[in-house]
Amino acid sequence: ALINPSVMFIENGSRIAVAARLHATSASQRSGTFEGKSVQVIEDIWHSRIVLGSFSLNTSEFHQWHTKGELRRLQKVPLRPWTGLEDDHQRDWSSDILCPREKYIAANNTLVRLKVTGPEDPKIFKRL
């Protein structure tokens, strides 16, 4: 799914830049260990990537967007994956290092682990 889009006028308002999050989820279950105990491990994985694109905008399209909130071409913009984000140690955020969370549930001896594979909620800004 394509979620959380961010848009900005560029080139004196003649084009629109778009950034969005390409998102999917998957899950797996396996046997593992936690604090020396045998447990069931449930991994919930959020597969996230930032995608970027831009397109020209004519006056009638802008008017329709401004008055009716519709911009049909936004759904057809070719978007390319962005891979330039690194952490403080110059590691690519596509590894398993982003936002790991674990919760142990003693009642059923289960470890629930969340992994996020990329950044969320892109924002476009212009450096002044």
Side-chain angles (χ1 to χ4, degrees):
L2 198 59
I3 61 174
N4 304 335
S6 175
V7 299
M8 182 175 79
F9 289 100
I10 58 174
E11 298 177 11
N12 295 319
S14 65
R15 294 185 68 77
I16 291 186
V18 179
R21 177 180 174 197
L22 187 60
H23 180 71
T25 61
S26 65
S28 65
Q29 184 172 344
R30 62 180 173 76
S31 297
T33 58
F34 178 71
E35 296 181 350
K37 299 179 202 172
S38 294
V39 298
Q40 284 297 305
V41 178
I42 298 174
E43 287 189 335
D44 184 16
I45 303 171
W46 292 6
H47 306 275
S48 296
R49 295 186 80 178
I50 301 299
V51 291
L52 304 170
S54 69
F55 63 97
S56 60
L57 184 69
N58 65 42
T59 305
S60 66
E61 289 174 315
F62 177 80
H63 180 71
Q64 186 169 359
W65 185 22
H66 182 68
T67 59
K68 297 182 180 179
E70 296 176 2
L71 187 56
R72 292 188 180 116
R73 282 194 11 188
L74 187 56
Q75 299 170 2
K76 299 177 184 176
V77 175
L79 300 172
R80 297 174 316 279
W82 179 60
T83 58
L85 193 58
E86 297 176 340
D87 70 4
D88 292 340
H89 305 287
Q90 288 73 47
R91 295 178 295 192
D92 183 337
W93 278 25
S94 62
S95 63
D96 292 337
I97 59 171
L98 185 62
C99 304
R101 285 181 250 165
E102 293 183 336
K103 179 179 180 181
Y104 177 66
I105 304 169
N108 61 5
N109 203 33
T110 301
L111 178 65
V112 179
R113 180 177 291 144
L114 172 65
K115 290 184 176 181
V116 179
T117 65
E120 304 176 26
D121 306 334
K123 302 293 183 256
I124 299 177
F125 62 92
K126 181 178 180 179
R127 195 181 309 195
L128 301 176

